[in-house]
Amino acid sequence: MCVFAAWVHGDPRKVIYPTDSYGQFCGQKDSPNENKSILFYFNILKCASPVVLINLQCPTTQLCVSKCPDRFVTYIDVQASYRYKPDQWNYFKQFCKPGFNNPRKSVAQVLRDEDCPSMIIPSRPFLKRCFPDFSTKNGVLTVANQTTFKDGRGKTRNVTDLREAANGINNVLDARSIGVKIFEDYAISWYWILIGLFIAMIVSLLFLVLLRFTAGVLFWIFIFGVIGIIGYGIWHCYWEYDHLKGIPGSDLTVYDIGFQTDFRVYLQLRQTWLAFMIILCGVEVVIILMLIFLRNRIRIAIALLKEGSRAIGYIMSTLFYPIVTFLLIAICISYWAVTAVFLATSGEPVYKVMANQTLCKYANLTCDPETFNTTNVTKLCPGAQCTFAFYGGESLYHKYIFIFQLANAFVFLWLVNFAIALGQCTLAGAFASYYWASRKPADIPLWPLFSSFGRAIRYHTGSLAFGALILAIVQLIRVILEYLDHKLKGTQNSFTRFLLCCLKCCFWCLEKFLKFINRNAYIMIAIYGKNFCTSAKEAFFLLMRNVVRVAVLDKVTDFLLFLGKILVAGGVGVLAFFFFTQKIPIIAQEAPTLNYYWVPLLTVIIGSYLVAHGFFSVYAMCVDTLFLCFCEDLERNDGSTAKPYFMSASLHRILGKKELSPKKAVG
């Protein structure tokens, strides 16, 4: 219903084209303004009025023109010379109201009726609107090399008045020139950027392959590195503590000196370094104890990481499935954006009285441009106009557009979560087929990824949609809370701010929890084909029975994958830096000459991280699937001939004799 209403009432042209004072689009095909794509302000000096800030509309006639004026001319000068300089009048009248061609009409009447502007000034189009062509000469602001101009009403004005009227436009124009340079850099270096991303893909693949052989080494290097760093910190704290012995004032306590804004003061106290040393000693002891008591579970986690690399090696097509998810999410974003634009532009033109006098009682009231001249508003408020203000309406539909936007956002969240759920279930089914194969890789199905995708679409669409629905509801509530927080940011009610903060925190935690549950529920759906609720319950209790293993595996996996992403993005980024700064002698001649070398460099670094994230997300899903299968394997089988384990030989060796019974395996 929301989408139908948006597509019926919406008009994206209201976003694409600027609108003149009559509500007509500039540059629209098959219209009188087809060749007039730029909006011209009759008197841009009025744009400095406070009315602009209130109504977001400049209180002057706005006209669609084919090009901006390129000279200083006043209507008084044109009228005085139109008989012997017709070319000047022909040029000026293109900025008058359509059909006006009466230079004999008095200046006062022309300006009163706003048939023509009192003056035109050299301008250039920006965002399809004519703005003064500012430039700086010897540090002085000028327009067409002039510092003053005639306003057509008998006064000589300074161009700084124009600057105030177009407040901030120079900064925007500077940003525009920077944008042009950035575009040029992309145009020159785009293929080098693609080469960098391709290198990132190759490096990501190699990292996943090497994890089969180096996962354990990388993890233990990290652990002992952390122990060594903390040990050095303990020694440094003790050295500082001993070094400060006997120095006057160092034996004072933190309580004695109170709160100090300069935290370096606390570093002059022995008590501070003693506290640091105690904290670091505690952390060191905790890490060592965890390594001692969890060493076997850490070995299982590392073995699962190696097993994940082996599984991906047999099902290489899974590495490219994130492209499918990306395309589905891109379609969802396109749907949401188009529908949101149609909703935002589904109003009718609304006209309001624009008056120069602040005391005019009719100012900002709605009006009808066809009957406005027959009313007494122009008599009571000289110079008042009925001009286009915005698109809106008072109908029931227009009153609920905000609700429709929320509904559109909810559908968007639902579809995105469904696309992610479909990807997770598909990958889980493919990797589960690897784990439960008796002889690997002989018993793996021929097309495990495509078979899993077909099962997910045919049998599990409802379960995936239900899981996505629950998550979308929580995310929509978070969006509403963020909106309320933004609206109430200036309130002085401390209780309201505290309540909102608590709600935001709670729903953030709930979203993280639901993502964790949904992910594992989709794995169970892929394995057993049960409904969402049953799968979520079984996954939750299975994980709770193996909670220590879950925590260890999660942290080990997160660390190794994060390390991989940083290595890929950092390595490719360093290579790109040396290349774009022409510091590689062999290929220095091939490097393009750029305005800003950091433009392609940042693009390569961020793109490399996203490429690595796409590959490693598959790896993370593989490890999670294998872990749930591993836990199920331990509970369903006992390693006997009748109930053999499906796990690999390496995992079986790590379990040892003590964990061959299912009761002892749980924990």
Side-chain angles (χ1 to χ4, degrees), residues 424 467 470-471 510-525 532-533 535-541 543-544 628:
Q424 292 176 342
I470 297 173
L471 193 56
L510 180 60
E511 181 184 356
K512 294 296 181 183
F513 175 74
L514 285 176
K515 283 183 176 179
F516 175 77
I517 291 297
N518 283 13
R519 183 183 180 90
N520 289 282
Y522 300 146
I523 295 174
M524 297 299 284
I525 289 172
F532 176 82
C533 293
S535 299
K537 182 187 70 173
E538 292 180 354
F540 177 76
F541 286 115
L543 293 172
M544 289 301 100
L628 272 184

Side-chain angles (χ1 to χ4, degrees), residues 438-451:
S438 300
R439 297 173 299 161
K440 302 175 177 62
D443 291 340
I444 300 176
L446 185 59
W447 303 103
L449 183 66
F450 294 107
S451 300

Side-chain angles (χ1 to χ4, degrees), residues 122-427:
S123 306
R124 57 178 171 176
F126 177 67
L127 298 177
K128 296 186 177 182
R129 288 160 176 81
C130 291
F131 286 104
D133 189 5
F134 293 112
S135 61
T136 303
K137 186 177 182 180
N138 297 326
V140 179
L141 186 67
T142 64
V143 174
N145 294 323
Q146 296 186 28
T147 57
T148 60
F149 66 97
K150 296 179 181 179
D151 67 355
R153 298 175 184 269
K155 295 182 180 180
T156 300
R157 309 284 289 265
N158 195 291
V159 295
T160 54
D161 295 336
L162 292 174
R163 181 69 181 83
E164 293 175 3
N167 187 26
I169 194 63
N170 258 6
N171 293 332
V172 178
L173 292 175
D174 291 340
R176 183 192 179 201
S177 66
I178 294 174
V180 170
K181 291 180 180 179
I182 291 175
F183 179 79
E184 291 174 352
D185 288 342
Y186 277 124
I188 295 172
S189 61
W190 64 270
Y191 50 92
W192 293 108
I193 293 174
L194 291 180
I195 291 174
L197 298 181
F198 179 76
I199 293 173
M201 184 182 71
I202 299 300
V203 174
S204 300
L205 287 171
L206 290 176
F207 188 86
L208 291 180
V209 173
L210 290 175
L211 273 180
R212 183 190 302 185
F213 310 102
T214 60
V217 176
L218 288 175
F219 178 78
W220 290 116
I221 288 176
F222 168 73
I223 287 296
F224 288 115
V226 170
I227 292 174
I229 291 172
I230 295 176
Y232 170 78
I234 294 171
W235 174 83
H236 183 76
C237 290
Y238 175 78
W239 184 86
E240 290 284 356
Y241 176 79
D242 185 67
H243 180 70
L244 290 173
K245 187 177 181 180
I247 297 177
S250 63
D251 289 325
L252 293 174
T253 64
V254 175
Y255 179 79
D256 292 333
I257 65 173
F259 177 75
Q260 300 291 328
T261 55
D262 187 358
F263 290 98
R264 289 176 296 180
V265 174
Y266 297 108
L267 299 180
Q268 307 301 319
L269 304 179
R270 299 184 73 203
Q271 187 186 63
T272 302
W273 292 105
L274 179 62
F276 285 160
M277 185 171 63
I278 293 173
I279 292 172
L280 290 176
C281 286
V283 173
E284 187 88 327
V285 169
V286 169
I287 292 177
I288 293 174
L289 289 176
M290 287 178 63
L291 289 176
I292 293 173
F293 291 103
L294 300 178
R295 63 188 184 278
N296 201 46
R297 288 180 173 83
I298 292 175
R299 291 173 63 207
I300 294 174
I302 294 173
L304 280 170
L305 290 172
K306 294 179 180 179
E307 193 70 13
S309 181
R310 188 177 295 109
I312 291 176
Y314 289 128
I315 316 176
M316 290 292 290
S317 57
T318 55
L319 289 174
F320 301 98
Y321 186 84
I323 297 175
V324 177
T325 302
F326 171 79
L327 292 176
L328 291 176
I329 292 177
I331 293 172
C332 295
I333 293 174
S334 301
Y335 153 80
W336 167 79
V338 171
T339 306
V341 168
F342 270 89
L343 282 172
T345 58
S346 58
E348 299 296 329
V350 175
Y351 299 86
K352 288 194 174 185
V353 176
M354 295 291 177
N356 295 326
Q357 299 178 3
T358 55
L359 297 179
C360 177
K361 65 179 182 179
Y362 295 102
N364 299 325
L365 296 180
T366 56
C367 57
D368 186 351
E370 296 182 359
T371 60
F372 182 72
N373 291 331
T374 62
T375 63
N376 61 346
V377 176
T378 54
K379 298 178 181 178
L380 298 176
C381 304
Q385 303 175 63
C386 182
T387 61
F388 169 79
F390 56 87
Y391 289 97
E394 299 296 329
S395 67
L396 186 65
Y397 166 76
H398 293 103
K399 290 180 180 179
Y400 287 97
I401 282 182
F402 179 73
I403 303 299
F404 288 152
Q405 288 283 22
L406 281 180
N408 183 40
F410 172 72
V411 174
F412 165 70
L413 293 172
W414 192 0
L415 290 176
V416 168
N417 285 313
F418 177 80
I420 295 173
L422 178 62
Q424 292 176 342
C425 188
T426 299
L427 292 173

